[in-house]
Amino acid sequence: MERFGSVSFGPVLLVCLMSGASALLHTANLHSQCKSCDPHPADCRSYQCISNCSVSKVCPNPQDVCAAVWWRQAGVVTVETRCHNPTQPLRGVMLEDYSSSDCVLTIRHASGHNLRLCACTGRDCNERMLLNKPSEDLELVIMTASENKPFRLPQLCKFCDFESTECNATGVCESSCNITSICEDPEEVCVSAWRRSEGKALIETVCHNPALKFRGQYLTDYNNTRCEMKKVKGMEDFYICSCNAEECNDRLIFTGEADRVSLSAERKNLLTLLLLVLVPLLIAAVLLVSLFYFVCVCRQQKCKVPATKGMDSETCAIIMSDDNRSDSSSANANSLNHNTELLPVQLDAVVGKGRFAEVFRAKLKQASESPQTVAVKIFPYDEYASWKTEWEIFSDAELQHENVLQFITAEDRKTARQYWLITAYHERGNLQEFLSQHVIGWDELCQLGRSLARGVAHLHSDRTPCGRAKVAIVHRDLKSANVLVKSDLTCCLCDFGLSLRLDSSTSPEELANSGQVGTARYMAPEVLESRMDLENIESFKQADVYSMALVLWEIMSRCSATGDVREYEPPFGKLKEHPCVESMKDDVIRDRLRPEIPASWSNHMGVHLLSSTIEECWDHDPEARLTAQCVVERFGDISSAVIPPLSSDIKSTEDSGNDQK
Ligand code: ADE
């Protein structure tokens, strides 16, 4: 028993052990282990792709081999890995070559899809897929999904060989091929041919290497992105096109049509370009023209001096214009038009007396108009030079400004042996008279002071407020008696008998001889001393600014905003006195005196600030003085910064224009 047992049991055990081991071994050998991932982007380089699948699975069936499905969509290579029973079709395709350990992708046209499939035997052999290796000398390039290295993928082309078609080789035809193929060779391009054979039209769609002849022809247009059909020379009804873009051989553009298409595309492009360029240009031009127009209109309106009531060119004796100004510059009055009708002026009363002339209030009686009050400055024939100087100054049309006395005309009244200057009339009279009779408030101070500075700034400027060129003029006799007060309590400058035009027409001699003129009381120290730099036109302006500062002081001295207002007094002394140059020199140069700035002027911030401005204007050093334009700006800054207390406002309003009793 024991022997039987030992004899019979031993071999059975051995067989069992062996068969168990063999079964285990068999199972291990027969069940493949494969990469098994749903579609995901693959990493392709050169002519191989790595699936990037991290799942490795023992296949459920012993027959299963490893397989991969490869396709390209929108330039991305996608791979699906799986176990596959090779006795069954994969994506409708029976795989034959699966015994190799390499998974070599081959193109399959499965129900219109462009796929590459492969199958292999061996653990995870579908991890790496090989594309059909093209000949070694060709550049092997395809796109990697993971890196942006430039690889070239084989082209996707329509590939139906021959198909009958309705296309009659005109216009644009669709191939109606429903097979898109990945070309075998990355060098291959898409090609289409149209031919008519035995009355039947055929379209051929293929991949083709342009290095080789196609139907006996070398392809010339294979770098196109569109398939533009060209008639094959010497062949009836035979057209070929080639192109290098995905499925570009599906749409066949016949010659002529291609031209037309490209022509119309070009036209479209040109039109778009024109629209893009011309429309903004046109808009810009329209805007510019409108802007220009508005600026002009604005300028004209802004700069227009209101027409003198009742004046017209025919009734004016001598209308000041650029034309007759050149006449007037000649040395005597004979250059005037003596035939010109004189204005119907009736003199009323003397309103002022100057060095060389008297000023009358007068009535200008124009037909069909009610009489206009004007001022007539009458020069005796002996004072021709003064009349001429002032006329020349007035005759510059660019002098017109709201703060400069408005000029109407000049006349040679031969029978009376008089020269006339007819101007606007201002019933408030001159500033000296006005200040001696009125106390003013802060607002009036600002109005009178700023308008005075504006008038001087305009006179000195070589530009009109509208930007036109203008000759700079210096007044040289600025004083409160030569400033008129208009009805709106603004100032205008008058009496230009000593004025000088600072242009090339003024000779250096004239400048050199023009050393000491004006009224001693208002003369700047350098004028009193006759030490002006006569070659520098700025020095004339600086002397005017000094005089203007004294006038500003006069205005300030009558302002009630500081509390106490003294009697009107001209700068440096009593009204009736006429200090001579020598006594003024003692005060202004030797003693460096200036009109007093009372301590009470610091009670009002605005007056205090303006006092400092005035002091800067009467600086002994002409160069250190402010310009008239700067004073205008100071007035603007100070008047807008200073808001006087309500009570002071009311007081100043009440004060303004009140006769002093
Ligand atoms: N005094 C001098 N010129 C005058 C004018 N134009 N109007 C009033 N008074 C003046």
Side-chain angles (χ1 to χ4, degrees):
M1 203 36 214
E2 192 181 276
R3 211 188 69 191
F4 170 80
S6 70
V7 169
S8 62
F9 188 71
V12 170
L13 188 66
L14 191 66
V15 167
C16 283
L17 278 173
M18 281 181 67
S19 66
S22 148
L24 273 172
L25 213 66
H26 183 75
T27 306
N29 281 340
L30 287 184
H31 286 252
S32 305
Q33 186 170 339
C34 301
K35 288 286 182 187
S36 188
C37 281
D38 288 339
H40 64 280
D43 189 358
C44 297
R45 280 161 204 264
S46 186
Y47 48 86
Q48 70 172 15
C49 295
I50 306 298
S51 76
N52 279 332
C53 172
S54 56
V55 182
S56 179
K57 199 164 108 181
V58 175
C59 297
N61 301 312
Q63 306 98 309
D64 283 354
V65 293
C66 301
V69 184
W70 182 109
W71 69 94
R72 187 173 60 169
Q73 208 165 34
V76 176
V77 172
T78 304
V79 163
E80 180 189 343
T81 46
R82 53 182 295 171
C83 296
H84 172 68
N85 183 345
T87 61
Q88 303 295 316
L90 174 63
R91 301 289 179 101
V93 176
M94 289 300 291
L95 297 172
E96 285 142 23
D97 183 15
Y98 52 86
S99 54
S100 160
S101 59
D102 285 336
C103 204
V104 181
L105 289 162
T106 51
I107 301 171
R108 308 290 169 148
H109 308 299
S111 52
H113 293 287
N114 309 283
L115 302 172
R116 288 186 184 225
L117 304 175
C118 70
C120 54
T121 306
R123 186 180 171 145
D124 292 334
C125 64
N126 60 346
E127 180 169 25
R128 189 175 73 118
M129 293 142 281
L130 301 177
L131 289 146
N132 280 350
K133 190 177 174 184
S135 55
E136 293 298 334
D137 58 327
L138 289 175
E139 195 190 357
L140 306 171
V141 279
I142 45 176
M143 196 71 160
T144 66
S146 58
E147 291 172 42
N148 285 327
K149 285 188 184 155
F151 288 108
R152 226 171 57 219
L153 269 177
Q155 196 49 270
L156 278 178
C157 300
K158 286 292 178 189
F159 204 143
C160 282
D161 289 328
F162 293 99
E163 281 185 318
S164 59
T165 178
E166 296 295 305
C167 173
N168 61 0
T170 53
V172 178
C173 298
E174 301 292 333
S175 74
S176 66
C177 167
N178 59 8
I179 298 171
T180 302
S181 168
I182 299 169
C183 299
E184 289 290 311
D185 179 345
E187 290 303 300
E188 285 180 337
V189 297
C190 307
V191 178
S192 284
W194 181 96
R195 66 171 64 180
R196 201 191 307 271
S197 159
E198 294 163 3
K200 244 181 109 186
L202 295 171
I203 284 180
E204 180 185 7
T205 48
V206 287
C207 290
H208 184 80
N209 185 340
L212 309 170
K213 280 185 174 176
F214 175 78
R215 308 282 170 245
Q217 310 280 325
Y218 279 112
L219 302 170
T220 52
D221 53 355
Y222 55 89
N223 279 328
N224 281 0
T225 51
R226 308 180 316 162
C227 218
E228 292 173 5
M229 282 295 200
K230 308 236 164 31
K231 202 166 188 295
V232 177
K233 267 187 203 144
M235 304 266 266
E236 261 309 298
D237 290 337
F238 192 15
Y239 293 81
I240 296 175
C241 69
S242 60
C243 50
N244 200 358
E246 276 189 14
E247 301 183 53
C248 60
N249 62 339
D250 189 30
R251 194 162 180 271
L252 317 179
I253 302 163
F254 282 83
T255 325
E257 183 60 24
D259 294 347
R260 239 190 344 268
V261 168
S262 71
L263 230 140
S264 81
E266 262 168 34
R267 261 191 219 139
K268 235 180 181 173
N269 285 346
L270 198 76
L271 203 76
T272 317
L273 193 79
L274 277 178
L275 280 175
L276 281 175
V277 172
L278 281 183
V279 168
L281 267 179
L282 212 73
I283 292 171
V286 168
L287 283 177
L288 264 175
V289 168
S290 330
L291 193 76
F292 183 72
Y293 173 79
F294 282 117
V295 166
C296 283
V297 166
C298 170
R299 270 188 179 179
Q300 274 169 11
Q301 282 177 355
K302 209 171 153 193
C303 307
K304 215 182 268 170
V305 174
T308 308
K309 227 171 137 196
M311 286 295 148
D312 68 56
S313 55
E314 265 142 44
T315 50
C316 283
I318 306 161
I319 296 295
M320 292 302 113
S321 69
D322 285 350
D323 303 343
N324 56 32
R325 200 182 74 221
S326 56
D327 289 347
S328 72
S329 350
S330 65
N332 61 66
N334 291 334
S335 62
L336 299 178
N337 180 0
H338 299 284
N339 298 326
T340 313
E341 229 181 279
L342 299 172
L343 286 181
V345 171
Q346 187 191 312
L347 299 177
D348 277 352
V350 176
V351 290
K353 247 184 191 323
R355 235 183 305 234
F356 315 109
E358 279 187 320
V359 180
F360 286 77
R361 186 183 62 226
K363 291 259 174 320
L364 174 61
K365 291 180 178 160
Q366 304 272 38
S368 77
E369 295 260 355
S370 56
Q372 184 192 350
T373 306
V374 293
V376 181
K377 192 170 181 180
I378 299 180
F379 298 76
Y381 253 24
D382 295 344
E383 298 299 342
Y384 166 75
S386 302
W387 170 77
K388 188 182 157 249
T389 305
E390 194 158 3
W391 173 39
E392 276 178 356
I393 297 289
F394 270 133
S395 65
D396 185 345
E398 304 301 1
L399 181 66
Q400 293 180 347
H401 189 271
E402 55 192 322
N403 303 120
V404 172
L405 178 61
Q406 190 197 338
F407 175 68
I408 297 171
T409 193
E411 288 183 351
D412 175 5
R413 294 268 170 164
K414 279 213 241 140
T415 44
R417 294 182 54 80
Q418 289 173 341
Y419 295 115
W420 284 16
L421 290 176
I422 305 175
T423 65
Y425 176 77
H426 297 292
E427 63 182 354
R428 285 185 189 267
N430 73 42
L431 185 63
Q432 189 172 62
E433 292 160 356
F434 178 82
L435 291 174
S436 53
Q437 291 160 23
H438 298 90
V439 168
I440 55 169
W442 166 248
D443 288 345
E444 289 75 37
L445 160 63
C446 288
Q447 210 158 311
L448 289 166
R450 184 167 180 271
S451 57
L452 168 65
R454 281 189 76 218
V456 177
H458 175 65
L459 209 63
H460 287 182
S461 177
D462 55 7
R463 292 265 151 209
T464 67
C466 312
R468 285 192 301 272
K470 161 191 171 293
V471 173
I473 294 167
V474 280
H475 191 285
R476 302 203 301 167
D477 196 15
L478 278 177
K479 55 183 176 181
S480 50
N482 283 343
V483 175
L484 296 172
V485 180
K486 300 212 285 187
S487 54
D488 61 355
L489 282 188
T490 58
C491 294
C492 70
L493 308 179
C494 68
D495 201 340
F496 297 95
L498 292 176
S499 297
L500 205 60
R501 284 162 63 88
L502 301 175
D503 68 346
S504 51
S505 71
T506 312
S507 66
E509 275 159 31
E510 264 179 287
L511 285 176
N513 293 335
S514 61
Q516 195 181 61
V517 293
T519 306
R521 192 193 293 273
Y522 288 87
M523 275 182 193
E526 67 276 14
V527 179
L528 287 167
E529 270 192 311
S530 300
R531 285 167 67 105
M532 252 181 75
D533 179 1
L534 299 174
E535 272 164 22
N536 178 10
I537 59 168
E538 289 306 309
S539 56
F540 290 95
K541 295 181 188 174
Q542 289 154 2
D544 266 358
V545 167
Y546 172 93
S547 313
M548 181 183 76
L550 298 185
V551 181
L552 288 173
W553 174 87
E554 288 175 73
I555 299 172
M556 295 255 289
S557 72
R558 299 294 284 155
C559 177
S560 62
T562 56
D564 91 287
V565 187
R566 300 183 194 170
E567 284 260 316
Y568 170 77
E569 266 197 6
F572 304 110
K574 297 275 171 279
L575 189 58
K576 291 279 177 294
E577 292 166 3
H578 293 288
C580 64
V581 170
E582 287 311 311
S583 82
M584 285 311 300
K585 271 166 126 176
D586 288 348
D587 285 355
V588 173
I589 299 162
R590 188 192 63 199
D591 301 338
R592 297 277 170 113
L593 282 181
R594 293 294 184 273
E596 187 200 350
I597 301 219
S600 63
W601 288 14
S602 301
N603 293 346
H604 186 280
M605 181 54 72
V607 175
H608 175 66
L609 292 170
L610 285 178
S611 310
S612 309
T613 301
I614 287 173
E615 284 177 311
E616 285 184 77
C617 290
W618 66 36
D619 200 292
H620 193 82
D621 176 5
E623 298 275 341
R625 291 173 204 153
L626 300 177
T627 62
Q629 182 55 38
C630 181
V631 177
V632 175
E633 283 156 27
R634 289 276 179 94
F635 265 102
D637 296 344
I638 295 169
S639 61
S640 60
V642 175
I643 301 160
L646 209 56
S647 56
S648 130
D649 255 358
I650 293 164
K651 189 164 175 280
S652 67
T653 315
E654 282 171 355
D655 285 344
S656 91
N658 280 354
D659 284 359
Q660 199 195 22
K661 293 273 162 280

